[in-house]
């Protein structure tokens, strides 16, 4: 079975293929997909060990628009609360013969481990501070639609780089596609040696934002900071919060992104977050559905070949 566990190692051709597929879904009226028979008779299970608003609902919508049967498992309502392990939970779901398992887990590497045990395709919906590949794909689609390209753009990813799976997936994807990536963070939230991944590291936000095309803000992930230094909110906003003043360092047509959930007044000021001309935040959410439809389509292509459950296309 084919999995999507990360953007690291994906080729430019694979990324381009997924983005082109997603573009087809993005340009159409979403209501037109209600009856796409592509995944008719197939089962998709959302298995979320962490909270989610955007990722879980957009995977559910994507699967439903392709006519799959969709099950949503939330840890709060599952037998994990009674002590069942990750692997036992996965094997239980595996016994129901799903075609795709979409998994979010607080531990880096947990989704890969699970993919080695089950007999279906697995999509990583975020594992710890490791990867969140569909987020990077939807970010790339959003950028490509607005700027017409990825290669040659300068993208600044700002904030809690240390704990961010969104930063990791984005920097792999964007550098693979020929964009220049800068990461901006306070020293305590900057992973050491990150330059080895082909990015430029800045501790000073104004210097890092100079002449960039895209400013991508990240949330302070305090839930992953147990035992380590947590910055004071007021100090953090002063030095690393995006406001009009700091944004003025970027190109005049620079666009603002945030994967959500957003903490207004912490990493981003409402004035820039809600700027209808420059903020792509709502568009990112919209592209999430298109990208997840594309990923479901691509991962199940082998499965659907010659499958009598699926009506012939055309
Ligand atoms: N961007 C993102 O993954 O949001 P959720 O945590 O709401 O899914």
């Amino acid at each position: 079975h084919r999995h999507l566990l990360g953007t690291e190692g994906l080729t430019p051709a694979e990324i381009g293929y997924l983005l082109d597929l997603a573009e087809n879904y993005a340009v159409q009226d979403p209501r037109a997909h209600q009856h796409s028979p592509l995944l008719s008779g197939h089962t998709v299970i959302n298995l979320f060990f962490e909270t989610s608003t955007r990722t879980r609902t957009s995977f559910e919508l994507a699967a439903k628009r392709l006519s799959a049967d969709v099950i949503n498992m939330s840890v709060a309502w599952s037998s994990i609360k009674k002590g069942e392990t990750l692997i036992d939970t996965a094997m239980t779901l595996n016994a129901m013969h799903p075609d795709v398992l979409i998994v979010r887990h607080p531990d880096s590497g947990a989704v890969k481990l699970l993919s080695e045990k089950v007999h279906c395709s697995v999509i990583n919906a975020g594992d710890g501070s490791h990867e969140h590949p569909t987020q990077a794909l939807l970010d790339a689609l959003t950028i490509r639609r607005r700027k017409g390209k990825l290669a040659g753009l300068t993208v600044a990813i700002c904030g809690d780089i240390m704990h961010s799976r969104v930063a990791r997936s984005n920097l792999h994807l964007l550098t693979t596609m020929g964009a220049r990536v800068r990461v901006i963070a306070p020293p305590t939230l900057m992973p050491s040696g990150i330059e080895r991944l082909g990015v430029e590291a800045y501790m000073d936000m104004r210097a890092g934002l100079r002449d960039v095309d895209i400013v991508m803000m990240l949330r302070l992930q305090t839930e992953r900071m147990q035992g380590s230094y947590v910055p004071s909110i007021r100090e953090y906003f002063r030095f690393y919060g995006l406001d009009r003043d700091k944004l003025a360092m970027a190109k005049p047509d620079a666009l603002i992104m945030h994967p959500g959930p957003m903490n207004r007044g912490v990493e981003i000021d409402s004035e820039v977050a809600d700027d209808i001309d420059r903020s792509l935040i709502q568009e990112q959410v919209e592209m999430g559905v298109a990208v997840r439809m594309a990923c479901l389509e691509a991962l199940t292509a082998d499965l659907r070949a010659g499958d009598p459950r699926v009506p012939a296309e055309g």
Side-chain angles (χ1 to χ4, degrees):
H1 295 277
R2 300 164 79 184
H3 307 303
L4 178 61
L5 301 176
T7 57
E8 186 176 14
L10 289 182
T11 64
E14 287 169 327
I15 293 165
Y17 173 73
L18 285 171
L19 295 181
D20 290 346
L21 214 51
E23 179 65 37
N24 289 334
Y25 289 120
V27 292
Q28 292 167 24
D29 180 345
R31 286 164 296 191
H33 297 301
Q34 294 290 347
H35 303 294
S36 165
L38 204 71
L39 292 185
S40 173
H42 291 80
T43 304
V44 173
I45 301 183
N46 270 319
L47 177 57
F48 277 60
F49 293 86
E50 259 190 3
T51 56
S52 170
T53 297
R54 285 144 283 264
T55 311
R56 199 198 59 76
T57 49
S58 59
F59 264 120
E60 181 177 355
L61 261 180
K64 284 182 170 162
R65 286 182 185 167
L66 297 173
S67 304
D69 296 320
V70 190
I71 310 288
N72 291 308
M73 287 278 305
S74 137
V75 167
W77 299 100
S78 73
S79 285
I80 292 156
K81 285 279 176 209
K82 300 174 187 165
E84 194 164 53
T85 65
L86 167 68
I87 298 304
D88 284 338
T89 304
M91 293 317 289
T92 301
L93 297 175
N94 186 59
M96 298 179 205
H97 304 291
D99 298 293
V100 184
L101 207 49
I102 297 158
V103 187
R104 170 171 287 191
H105 196 279
D107 295 336
S108 302
V111 181
K112 181 171 191 297
L113 179 72
L114 190 145
S115 74
E116 289 160 2
K117 307 283 180 190
V118 296
H119 302 115
C120 64
S121 288
V122 174
I123 300 179
N124 181 4
D127 64 324
S129 49
H130 178 227
E131 282 239 33
H132 190 356
T134 55
Q135 179 70 46
L137 286 162
L138 75 87
D139 290 338
L141 182 64
T142 309
I143 296 170
R144 203 179 72 165
R145 284 169 66 86
R146 276 298 188 103
K147 294 286 186 188
K149 60 180 183 179
L150 295 170
L153 294 177
T154 305
V155 181
I157 308 177
C158 318
D160 183 1
I161 304 293
M162 179 85 85
H163 301 102
S164 179
R165 54 198 179 204
V166 174
R168 232 162 296 280
S169 287
N170 260 301
L171 71 84
H172 288 309
L173 185 152
L174 290 167
T175 54
T176 301
M177 298 308 278
R180 280 187 297 273
V181 177
R182 299 179 184 172
V183 290
I184 306 174
T188 50
L189 296 175
M190 182 73 87
S192 62
I194 193 154
E195 294 90 343
R196 284 198 294 273
L197 298 177
V199 302
E200 289 175 63
Y202 289 81
M203 311 284 179
D204 181 273
M205 190 158 172
R206 287 171 199 276
L209 289 182
R210 189 164 294 133
D211 295 328
V212 302
D213 297 286
I214 301 286
V215 185
M216 192 182 285
M217 299 307 300
L218 301 172
R219 181 176 66 88
L220 274 182
Q221 303 193 69
T222 47
E223 72 275 23
R224 301 196 209 287
M225 292 182 194
Q226 278 93 5
S228 63
Y229 173 73
V230 181
S232 96
I233 298 309
R234 201 174 348 171
E235 188 184 36
Y236 186 79
F237 183 71
R238 183 169 160 220
F239 290 105
Y240 295 98
L242 185 69
D243 55 16
R244 257 297 144 234
D245 192 42
K246 296 191 195 79
L247 183 62
M249 300 302 295
K251 282 189 183 159
D253 61 349
L255 299 170
I256 303 152
M257 302 178 77
H258 194 307
M262 182 163 59
N263 288 154
R264 293 168 183 268
V266 182
E267 74 273 8
I268 190 163
D269 191 45
S270 280
E271 195 192 354
V272 289
D274 300 332
D275 182 328
I276 51 166
D277 297 319
R278 301 181 71 179
S279 170
L280 302 183
I281 295 170
Q282 297 303 321
E283 216 165 303
Q284 288 172 268
V285 176
E286 194 184 336
M287 290 307 114
V289 180
V291 153
R292 285 161 183 137
M293 289 173 82
C295 291
L296 288 170
E297 179 176 348
L299 284 184
T300 56
D302 294 349
L303 207 66
R304 284 180 285 110
D307 187 332
R309 291 176 297 180
V310 181
E313 284 182 41

